[in-house]
Amino acid sequence: MSPFASNALETLIDKLHDLLSDRQRRTQAFLIRFNAALRERLLPAPEHPHNGDECLYPNRIGNFSKGLPHDDTGEVDSEAYETLIHALTTGDPADFEKIPLGAIANSLTLKRDLHLI
């Protein structure tokens, strides 16, 4: 066998070895990620305790209300907040569509949709 043929064969063997090594490495990486995801999925959902602010402050100060209408003092509109809570409870997309938006959120929605005109 000529030295050239030997070098070509060695190169081919090296490439096949790299290919197998690459495939094995990718398979091993996939199995690591899959097993990690499976272990994570089997864990119970963590408790999510609340701090009681919704009951403590009937005007909803301190609660998340970004994007909802607010009055001149900065307090959230109670009806809008209740609509948000209802939508979160039901998970129904139609209920989310009923949530009134504050002035800034409305203008952002308008700007976002202007390209459709």
Side-chain angles (χ1 to χ4, degrees):
M1 199 189 274
S2 74
F4 176 75
S6 177
N7 287 341
L9 185 58
E10 287 178 14
T11 302
L12 178 61
I13 289 171
D14 286 344
K15 287 185 179 185
L16 287 173
H17 178 29
D18 290 346
L19 178 63
L20 290 176
S21 296
D22 183 51
R23 182 171 292 151
Q24 289 170 343
R25 187 176 66 251
R26 286 185 291 151
T27 300
Q28 184 181 23
F30 167 78
L31 290 173
I32 289 170
R33 292 190 311 272
F34 179 80
N35 286 329
L38 185 59
R39 282 194 304 272
E40 181 75 21
R41 173 65 180 95
L42 294 175
L43 290 174
E47 289 186 31
H48 191 76
H50 61 82
N51 61 8
D53 279 357
E54 286 191 355
C55 296
L56 189 60
Y57 303 109
N59 61 355
R60 310 296 191 205
I61 60 171
N63 294 338
F64 182 81
S65 60
K66 186 176 182 179
L68 297 176
H70 291 75
D71 65 18
D72 292 338
T73 63
E75 292 184 16
V76 68
D77 178 282
S78 295
E79 288 182 32
Y81 191 84
E82 291 304 321
T83 305
L84 170 65
I85 296 301
H86 177 74
L88 293 171
T89 302
T90 66
D92 184 351
D95 289 335
F96 282 93
E97 292 295 327
K98 295 175 187 172
I99 300 171
L101 300 177
I104 294 174
N106 273 326
S107 68
L108 292 175
T109 302
L110 178 62
K111 288 178 186 174
R112 183 192 69 216
D113 294 338
L114 279 177
H115 75 280
L116 299 174
I117 297 175

